[in-house]
Amino acid sequence: MSGRFGKLKTLIDGELVESASGQWLESVDPATEQVIGYVPLCDRADAERAIAAAQAAAPAWRDLGVAGRAAKLRELAARLLERSQELLDIEVADTGSTVGKMRGDVGHTIGSLEQYAGLGLEMKGETIPASVNHLHMTVRQPFGVVGRIVPFNHPLYFSLGGSAAPLMAGNTLVVKPPEQSPLSSAIMSEICRDVLPKGVMNVLNGVGAGIGDAIVRHPGVRRIAFIGSVPTGLAIQRAAAESAVKHLTLELGGKNPMIVFPDVDVDQAVTAAFQGMNFAWSGQSCGSTSRLLVHDSIYDDVVQRLAARIDAVKLGMPADPSSEMGPINSKAHYERVLRYIEYGKEDGATLMAGGVRPDGDDFARGYWVRPTLFGNVTPDMRIAKEEIFGPVLSALRWSNIDEALRIANGTEYGLTASIWTNDLKTALRTAQKVESGYIWVNGASSHHRGTPFGGLKNSGIGRDEGLEELLSYTEQKAIHIAL
């Protein structure tokens, strides 16, 4: 075995180890299709060891208290900062996302740890005047062991940044990093080994059908958090229910609308539509506004200007600071994107930009496709209904607000939405009626720390990034004291 990063280890019960089977999972640079490193391919034997370690560590971690756990989270953040360039290099090579965006991911991970370190005292109970001869009160306590299953687009942020709330709440963790981009989990493992008590954090690399299923089905893991596709989320619900009653958070993607009213500045709307598609992640973001719903009176102008902007995108190696878009993360997702481009053509949509492999020797290998815009899309087309999770944007027309809302709400998803108008009343009425859990007015793509992020309908259950997330990793207990 070779590769730029070599054979890496993972964290189980406070030790950096290989898998029990001795097998390895390779990671491929999506820009070159070259193997760049290996992580242990864990199986059920590794899961049993990791979960047992997490169970054993849970009481002492809980009893460390709010101040003690907060200090550990802040130390994790400091260690991440020290190794931020190393983490950035490995994330960019492993994911194919651009260096600017992945630098933000490292910063967001540090910010998440610091945020939840400061929220521990908000895990409050309450007193209830239920009778005159008792003191009735509630307290919050951790679940015990939490399982996190992480997607490929934000490996470090979702693995460790997403562990900040459950750790602060007093839980121990078993984390499954993404098999498509697992390498940063090795650095995370080293940092957690050095900072956290033995068994508090355990990292299990592997494939979803193997190690992911083992985590979900284990009766000792009573709290599960998953980010990924709807079919996998449904499978996790079924598998979890077959072993125990569990609490789940699911963020399951979106087919998010951006609704553009005729009173907007067209240039601003075009810029927002471009930014909202997250091309710097090759469109591989659950919150991307991949359906552009434009009023008929400005539709042609918006789409033509947007096509020109998309045609001008600079594709390049992800580590190049001037690159606006890198490759698709994996061969499987690359082939999925190409299939949907063909679906769009077959359904009669107009290919306005992209949809082809870029020219040049630099793109002879790797999972490259130019960012793509389809015009004259209708709501019944597959590219208008199904999540592609790639750099494919569909533009649809509407002539009245009722039609726009029918189109916007006409999918199984309900994660994000963007509304563009200069009329406050129109914006608020539309926001009330759009079936999405996270809505921007005259904005797109950005997350705002402390506000609850999550979806409606099949986009999932639960909310992240705020106090709600911290409290969701606790259970309430009622205590009645006779006076």
Side-chain angles (χ1 to χ4, degrees):
M1 292 183 180
S2 59
R4 174 181 171 188
F5 299 103
K7 295 169 66 175
L8 305 171
K9 293 185 177 181
T10 196
L11 179 65
I12 299 178
D13 197 14
E15 299 178 354
L16 297 178
V17 298
E18 299 178 7
S19 64
S21 67
Q23 297 185 34
W24 296 89
L25 177 69
E26 67 179 27
S27 186
V28 173
D29 182 342
T32 64
E33 299 182 57
Q34 299 298 310
V35 175
I36 55 174
Y38 300 83
V39 293
L41 180 60
C42 297
D43 59 20
R44 291 183 184 273
D46 301 294
E48 290 291 340
R49 180 186 173 195
I51 294 167
Q55 289 175 311
W61 180 248
R62 176 198 63 208
D63 294 343
L64 186 61
V66 166
R69 295 195 298 271
K72 291 296 185 183
L73 263 64
R74 292 190 177 101
E75 188 176 352
L76 283 175
R79 295 293 185 91
L80 281 174
L81 183 60
E82 291 172 359
R83 301 185 69 175
S84 58
Q85 187 60 51
E86 184 183 357
L87 283 161
L88 179 61
D89 291 344
I90 204 168
E91 288 265 90
V92 169
D94 210 16
T95 65
S97 296
T98 58
V99 65
K101 290 299 184 182
M102 298 317 291
R103 181 177 291 110
D105 266 24
V106 176
H108 292 323
T109 304
I110 294 170
S112 183
L113 290 164
E114 293 175 338
Q115 174 190 4
Y116 286 103
L119 282 177
L121 293 177
E122 295 303 313
M123 294 185 291
K124 300 172 182 176
E126 57 186 355
T127 58
I128 304 161
S131 73
V132 296
N133 58 351
H134 288 78
L135 175 63
H136 306 275
M137 64 182 182
T138 63
V139 295
R140 290 185 176 275
Q141 62 185 34
F143 282 88
V145 181
V146 170
R148 286 192 61 81
I149 301 174
V150 175
F152 65 81
N153 52 342
H154 302 283
L156 177 69
Y157 177 51
F158 285 151
S159 292
L160 187 53
S163 295
L167 285 172
M168 192 63 232
N171 301 280
T172 55
L173 278 109
V174 178
V175 175
K176 181 205 167 294
E179 58 259 40
Q180 302 94 335
S181 45
L183 299 183
S184 64
S185 67
I187 300 176
M188 179 183 77
S189 293
E190 293 173 8
I191 292 172
C192 288
R193 176 203 57 183
D194 294 341
V195 173
L196 298 176
K198 175 182 175 181
V200 169
M201 173 68 81
N202 301 272
V203 182
L204 295 171
N205 293 108
V207 298
I211 199 66
D213 188 68
I215 294 170
V216 168
R217 290 183 183 275
H218 197 289
V221 182
R222 296 186 45 249
R223 176 70 168 89
I224 296 168
F226 169 74
I227 304 173
S229 70
V230 171
T232 304
L234 293 172
I236 286 174
Q237 284 184 313
R238 288 191 297 268
E242 290 174 357
S243 64
V245 176
K246 303 192 179 193
H247 183 99
L248 275 69
T249 296
L250 304 172
E251 185 194 310
L252 304 180
K255 191 69 176 176
N256 309 298
M258 176 177 168
I259 306 173
V260 182
F261 285 83
D263 64 333
V264 300
D265 180 288
V266 169
D267 285 334
Q268 290 181 352
V270 168
T271 298
F274 179 84
Q275 294 174 342
M277 261 308 295
N278 294 307
F279 287 119
W281 285 302
S282 298
Q284 297 167 132
S285 178
C286 56
S288 296
T289 47
S290 56
R291 289 185 297 151
L292 179 61
L293 280 58
V294 186
H295 188 270
D296 190 67
S297 63
I298 59 170
Y299 178 91
D300 290 335
D301 192 14
V302 168
V303 171
Q304 288 169 6
R305 295 194 200 188
L306 182 57
R309 177 65 184 89
I310 290 175
D311 270 336
V313 167
K314 181 182 185 301
L315 274 74
M317 293 298 167
D320 180 351
S322 68
S323 174
E324 292 185 280
M325 187 176 122
I328 308 297
N329 176 265
S330 68
K331 182 178 180 181
H333 281 86
Y334 172 67
E335 291 174 346
R336 176 183 174 86
V337 168
L338 296 183
R339 284 198 303 272
Y340 274 93
I341 291 172
E342 291 305 311
Y343 293 153
K345 296 175 182 177
E346 292 167 3
D347 285 342
T350 303
L351 183 62
M352 304 290 295
V356 297
R357 191 178 187 91
D359 296 327
D361 293 340
D362 289 345
F363 309 109
R365 292 184 62 82
Y367 311 127
W368 299 92
V369 62
R370 290 206 60 84
T372 302
L373 172 65
F374 278 105
N376 298 317
V377 176
T378 57
D380 59 307
M381 294 181 183
R382 295 187 68 169
I383 59 171
K385 296 187 298 183
E386 300 176 11
E387 186 180 35
I388 301 171
F389 214 69
V392 180
L393 176 58
S394 298
L396 300 90
R397 299 174 184 264
W398 59 273
S399 58
N400 61 70
I401 185 57
D402 289 337
E403 181 184 14
L405 288 168
R406 282 196 301 272
I407 296 171
N409 296 335
T411 73
E412 64 176 317
Y413 300 101
L415 186 55
T416 72
S418 175
I419 299 164
W420 276 79
T421 177
N422 290 313
D423 187 297
L424 181 60
K425 185 180 292 186
T426 297
L428 293 176
R429 286 178 174 173
T430 305
Q432 287 181 325
K433 294 179 180 180
V434 169
E435 296 170 349
S436 297
Y438 203 83
I439 298 174
W440 301 280
V441 175
N442 296 336
S445 185
S446 58
H447 287 227
H448 300 280
R449 191 172 299 283
T451 62
F453 183 85
L456 309 181
K457 302 192 293 187
N458 274 4
S459 283
I461 51 176
R463 294 295 182 269
D464 294 336
E465 301 182 8
L467 180 59
E468 294 86 353
E469 181 179 4
L470 178 65
L471 298 181
S472 79
Y473 287 101
T474 65
E475 297 183 287
Q476 276 190 320
K477 179 182 289 184
I479 302 173
H480 310 277
I481 305 172
L483 301 177

